[in-house]
């Protein structure tokens, strides 16, 4: 049985009631051509519940002002809400406190922050950085280029034919010259849940650090950094019922203390003279300029929303949907599904239909009102390994239903027949 009251959840997301197709924006025109929206592009960006939208509106209507500096009441209210958002995020992922939580623009910026502030200073010729073949470009390009700039070698842990990490290869690649291991927690293309605790042990046994990319794990399952001990961990608000424009970098306090700031300017300083500058305390040392105030406060609301639903149940609901989608799509022998078997995957399914380009498939599905993603999902090298230039990806969240997967399968079947 599916554990969530999806009807009640959907009532919090008015966007899910809209229709698409025809010219739905012109009243009375082409009304008959419109179909209900089936939103299955959640791994790219999730929808935003009223509770979060209301929090944003309330911020601008009631206490919009700059943080940290003001003595006046609005600034104090905004500052408290912004600081408490860090506490809430820390609690949500099991961090020790707000010192370990830096707000950034997105997960990508969190990767870059560590690459610039730690990587460029700590990595050198003769070192290596070990990534997985299933890294998102956010991590792959960042560490590849950091290796290039520092004279280090970038190594890639192989993906097995059934979409898992080859841990024997990981043990071969991670050695005494490894400075950083960077691994995606849940692959946004394969749906694989990687053994990040084991990778962290491997890294730490060799005195290397590990950066875990949680962009596809934190929104969808209970995550506690104490359980897998990453040195750095990152995710994005817009994939977890929050707004765009905010990402989170978790870092161990000791490391963040030692690191140089990534950006300089106001808010990140304690004292400035013409000769020198002292940094502000963590995490503000890494949040130069006016920070992401609205977004941070809204992320707090998004976490409240998700915890109200219950992260265990979110995970269970999506796993059931993923398994159902996997089983239904497996009925077609001209469809190739990437990644591990249905009972092991996170809530997404990437696939190709023989003879139908993923972009064509996506536009036919769009005519059915079904929104999926088509392309390389920012994992071009992984697609090279898969032997496909692109793939179609359906990804699920708390508000999706089995009936929506039926609509997906119906649209896919239509496309098969059209191109047969
Ligand atoms: N890592 C993974 C696994 C992702 O799926 C994404 C988003 N597609 C990112 C990193 C980057 O997130 P953002 O674009 O919000 O920085």
């Amino acid at each position: 049985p599916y554990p969530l009251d999806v009807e009640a959840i959907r009532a919090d997301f008015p966007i899910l009631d809209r229709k698409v197709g025809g010219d739905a924006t012109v009243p009375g025109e082409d009304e008959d051509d419109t179909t209900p929206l089936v939103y299955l592009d959640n791994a790219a960006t999730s929808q935003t519940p009223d509770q979060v939208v209301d929090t944003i509106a309330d911020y601008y209507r009631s206490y919009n002002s700059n943080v940290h500096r003001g003595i006046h009441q609005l600034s104090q209210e905004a500052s408290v809400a912004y600081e408490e958002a860090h506490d809430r995020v820390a609690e949500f992922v099991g961090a020790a406190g707000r010192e370990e939580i830096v707000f950034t623009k997105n997960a990508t910026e969190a990767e870059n922050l560590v690459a610039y502030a730690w990587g460029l200073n700590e990595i050198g010729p003769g070192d290596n950085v070990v990534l997985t073949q299933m890294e998102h470009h956010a991590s792959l390009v960042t560490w590849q280029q950091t290796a290039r700039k520092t004279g280090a070698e970038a190594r890639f842990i192989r993906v097995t034919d059934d979409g898992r990490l080859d841990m024997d290869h990981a043990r071969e690649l991670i050695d005494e010259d490894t400075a950083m291991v960077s691994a995606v927690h849940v692959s946004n293309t394969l749906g694989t849940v990687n053994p990040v605790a084991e990778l962290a042990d491997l890294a730490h046994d060799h005195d290397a650090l590990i950066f875990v990319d949680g962009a596809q794990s934190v929104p969808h399952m209970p995550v506690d950094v104490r359980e897998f001990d990453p040195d750095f961990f990152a995710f994005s608000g817009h994939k977890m019922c929050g707004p765009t424009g905010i990402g989170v970098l978790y870092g161990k306090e000791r490391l963040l203390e030692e690191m140089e700031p990534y950006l300089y300017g106001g808010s990140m300083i304690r004292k400035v003279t013409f000769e020198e500058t002292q940094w502000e305390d963590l995490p503000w040392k890494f949040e130069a300029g006016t920070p992401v105030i609205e977004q941070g406060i809204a992320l707090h609301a998004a976490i409240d929303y998700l915890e109200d639903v219950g992260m265990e149940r979110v995970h269970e609901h999506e796993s059931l949907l993923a398994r159902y989608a996997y089983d239904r799509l497996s009925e077609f022998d001209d469809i190739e599904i990437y990644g591990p078997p249905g009972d092991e995957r996170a809530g997404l399914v990437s696939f190709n239909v023989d003879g139908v380009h993923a972009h064509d498939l996506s536009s036919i599905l769009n005519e059915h009102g079904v929104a999926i993603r088509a392309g390389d999902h920012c994992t071009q090298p992984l697609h090279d390994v898969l032997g496909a230039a692109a793939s179609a990806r359906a990804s699920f969240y708390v508000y999706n239903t089995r009936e929506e997967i039926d609509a997906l399968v119906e649209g896919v079947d239509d496309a098969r027949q059209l191109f047969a």
Side-chain angles (χ1 to χ4, degrees):
Y2 283 73
L4 297 181
D5 181 353
V6 173
E7 212 174 305
I9 289 173
R10 288 179 76 90
D12 296 328
F13 295 83
I15 198 170
L16 299 175
D17 290 334
R18 69 160 287 181
K19 296 199 159 55
V20 291
D23 193 347
T25 55
V26 180
E29 198 171 297
D30 283 343
E31 285 271 344
D32 295 342
D33 292 342
T34 61
T35 62
L37 169 69
V38 174
Y39 188 77
L40 301 179
D41 193 19
N42 296 287
T45 286
S46 61
Q47 296 304 341
T48 319
D50 276 345
Q51 288 84 339
V52 173
V53 176
D54 291 347
T55 299
I56 295 169
D58 181 52
Y59 166 72
Y60 283 111
R61 292 205 170 109
S62 315
Y63 58 104
N64 171 37
S65 57
N66 215 321
V67 293
H68 298 326
R69 305 153 228 197
I71 306 295
H72 64 81
Q73 183 166 340
L74 295 196
S75 174
Q76 285 176 11
E77 288 176 11
S79 300
V80 168
Y82 185 66
E83 288 165 11
E84 283 178 358
H86 288 71
D87 299 340
R88 187 71 177 95
V89 172
E91 182 192 17
F92 187 56
V93 298
R98 68 170 66 155
E99 305 72 38
E100 299 190 321
I101 300 296
V102 178
F103 285 172
T104 59
K105 179 176 69 164
N106 49 31
T108 303
E109 192 187 47
E111 295 268 4
N112 278 274
L113 191 163
V114 175
Y116 277 84
W118 185 87
L120 292 183
N121 293 311
E122 301 293 334
I123 301 175
D127 290 344
N128 64 67
V129 296
V130 178
L131 311 173
T132 79
Q133 284 186 334
M134 58 174 100
E135 289 314 288
H136 186 279
H137 294 164
S139 127
L140 195 154
V141 179
T142 302
W143 292 107
Q144 174 196 65
Q145 293 306 310
T146 305
R148 185 182 62 83
K149 284 186 190 167
T150 57
E153 180 197 349
R155 301 175 170 179
F156 295 90
I157 304 168
R158 273 194 301 262
V159 174
T160 61
D161 288 344
D162 55 0
R164 298 183 178 92
L165 274 189
D166 180 342
M167 290 304 288
D168 287 335
H169 195 218
R171 279 182 282 275
E172 262 171 56
L173 293 187
I174 298 171
D175 62 21
E176 63 278 8
D177 293 325
T178 303
M180 174 63 85
V181 175
S182 184
V184 67
H185 195 174
V186 170
S187 163
N188 65 311
T189 298
L190 299 174
T192 317
V193 184
N194 284 319
V196 284
E198 207 179 321
L199 285 169
D201 282 346
L202 267 177
H204 294 150
D205 286 349
H206 293 87
D207 291 327
L209 300 188
I210 182 164
F211 190 123
V212 175
D213 170 356
Q216 298 294 347
S217 61
V218 172
H220 304 288
M221 58 180 68
V223 169
D224 187 327
V225 291
R226 288 165 296 198
E227 283 170 13
F228 57 100
D229 198 29
D231 297 291
F232 301 104
F233 184 63
F235 50 100
S236 272
H238 67 93
K239 295 180 196 284
M240 51 187 289
C241 295
T244 51
I246 183 162
V248 173
L249 171 68
Y250 157 85
K252 285 183 179 161
E253 186 177 355
R254 175 182 56 80
L255 292 166
L256 293 178
E257 272 308 343
E258 284 166 15
M259 279 156 56
E260 282 283 308
Y262 164 53
L263 296 171
Y264 300 116
S267 303
M268 51 78 68
I269 55 88
R270 172 150 340 127
K271 178 156 174 52
V272 183
T273 65
F274 287 120
E275 289 74 34
E276 60 173 16
T277 300
Q278 288 168 8
W279 314 135
E280 184 51 283
D281 288 340
L282 290 175
W284 323 121
K285 172 177 127 182
F286 291 107
E287 294 189 8
T290 297
V292 286
I293 306 168
E294 161 220 314
Q295 293 88 338
I297 293 169
L299 180 61
H300 184 160
I303 291 173
D304 286 348
Y305 185 84
L306 285 172
E307 284 217 317
D308 236 25
V309 176
M311 291 310 295
E312 282 289 356
R313 290 190 297 163
V314 170
H315 181 53
E316 198 185 328
H317 178 77
E318 290 176 27
S319 302
L320 289 169
L321 288 177
R323 188 183 186 135
Y324 181 63
Y326 184 90
D327 289 347
R328 291 240 33 211
L329 291 168
S330 301
E331 286 166 17
F332 303 102
D333 51 17
D334 56 353
I335 292 184
E336 181 174 9
I337 303 176
Y338 304 107
D343 55 353
E344 270 181 49
R345 56 178 51 239
L348 62 90
V349 182
S350 299
F351 59 98
N352 266 312
V353 182
D354 204 16
V356 187
H357 193 282
H359 287 147
D360 293 329
L361 178 65
S362 183
S363 42
I364 289 167
L365 284 170
N366 186 46
E367 284 167 24
H368 286 248
V370 180
I372 62 152
R373 184 131 301 232
D376 57 49
H377 323 308
C378 294
T379 56
Q380 283 181 16
L382 175 63
H383 275 79
D384 289 342
V385 172
L386 297 174
S391 60
R393 179 185 71 190
S395 54
F396 316 118
Y397 215 10
V398 287
Y399 34 70
N400 290 126
T401 63
R402 274 166 75 103
E403 291 70 34
E404 290 182 306
I405 292 172
D406 292 335
L408 165 75
V409 173
E410 204 176 295
V412 169
D413 198 19
D414 249 21
R416 287 173 67 239
Q417 291 175 25
L418 210 69
F419 283 82

